[in-house]
Amino acid sequence: MAEHAIEANFDGLVGPTHNYAGLSWGNVASKSNLKAVSNPRQAALQGLQKMKRLADRGYVQGVLPPHERPHIPTLKALGFRGTDAAILTAVAKSNPVVLAAVASASCMWTANAATVSPSADTADHRVHFTPANLSAKFHRSIEHVVTGRALKSIFADEAYFAHHPALPAVSQFGDEGAANHTRLCSHYGQPGVELFVYGQAAFDESAPAPSLYPARQTLEASQAIARLHGLSDAHTVFAQQNPAAIDAGVFHNDVIAVGNGNVLFYHEQAFLNEQRVMADIRSRLTGVDLRAVRVSESEVPLADAVASYLFNSQLLSSPEGGMLLAVPGECREIESVSRYLDQLVHGDGPVTKVEVFDVKQSMRNGGGPACLRLRVALTDAELAALDTGVLMTDALYERLTSWVNAHYRDSLSQAELADPMLLEESRKALDELTGIMGLGSIYDFQRG
Ligand code: SUG
């Protein structure tokens, strides 16, 4: 008899240096908002409101902390020397893009924080975590160290949780975490099928690959994670993303597909070999039949799916039955998508409710509702083993909202990233935050 389990969603709290630096080639929104002035306070509040609304609906909602930015240890590793202020001035002068990279608040997109396998699937029946190396982009490749510390601090009990280091940080093992990983199951506590979607097989030069934009996730990385997590063939499907979709701006699978329970909601152009993927899932899924909600090109053109982030919605089981699709506001601004959503809830399909969430500040960098969250399916005992203050409550929401209002700037331009005061403000804020969330010293500046 499987244990009762729930799905917790851990959202990344947007950091004080949230900015638009155009760092992600292949991510259309990031490139098109290059050098726009950002609003860090509004961004963080939008994220907190999303968390609060979902917590109010009865979902278990967690928070993952932002990282220390600009990251001075990375600049020191690149040879910059002197006081923090001198280092910031020097890097701003010699290479402002490097400064923007080490100042990015990109760890907010926690769908890229790690891959998580629930205990029902793993050989040792513990929940396994592997932080993503994010080696495709310099600004993201520096996230996994602090991500690993935060996850270890939150999921500390080794009787229940196992932590692996990130994979080797080279493109052949490029790993983007849960954004390319979906789990299908009958109930969260039952063994499921973990669908790993990769962009390219790195060690096979003749394998299909995108021609314009990079494939950030490799087959070899996904296979390594499945091995590390102790997943058998009965629990895994490896599927190649359609290279044409990557070239159309689908830089992660969660921009074109989302799964929950026995439902897979996806665009017809998501996979290179759609029929094989569906057959592989169907042959492994136990206790329930797969419900594939396939969206055709004629219903929603791929370009509209990318512009609206329809598939970067959160698909959540409603306590009263049925499923809620939590969509970004942009879905109501694009006609084909809005029309599709209206008919989706009127049929007899699994999605029974659509709700709009405003995460515009994050969307301008290519991060929708689903990018902002890391899913962790937990049994009742595993949930009870968490003893830090990271689960959303009315009190935590009030506390974090006042914390943001006290510490965050209203607006931030690229030129301001070199301001030593910004670094000081951020460290002060984060030092306070680790106290609020009970995380211990996870940041380099706290470790001396
Ligand atoms: O890695 N954007 C992120 C967006 C990540 C979205 N995550 C998921 N799809 N799960 C990225 O491309 C842009 C930063 C900038 O340009 O300033 C950025 O990193």
Side-chain angles (χ1 to χ4, degrees), residues 19-24 27 30-31 104 106 109 111-112 134 137 139-140 176 179 216 251-252 254-255 309 312 365-368 370-372:
N19 73 93
Y20 300 123
L23 298 171
S24 282
N27 166 345
S30 150
K31 278 289 165 198
S104 178
S106 53
W109 300 297
N112 305 116
L134 296 167
K137 306 284 173 203
H139 70 291
R140 305 220 59 186
E176 302 274 319
R216 297 198 200 179
F251 56 99
H252 290 134
D254 70 0
V255 176
Y309 263 45
N312 202 259
N365 257 337
C371 296
L372 286 161

Side-chain angles (χ1 to χ4, degrees), residues 331-352:
C331 286
R332 287 297 182 192
E333 290 163 16
I334 294 180
E335 211 202 311
S336 65
V337 176
S338 191
R339 201 177 335 113
Y340 178 81
L341 287 173
D342 289 339
Q343 64 84 28
L344 182 67
V345 286
H346 285 117
D348 57 359
V351 179
T352 45

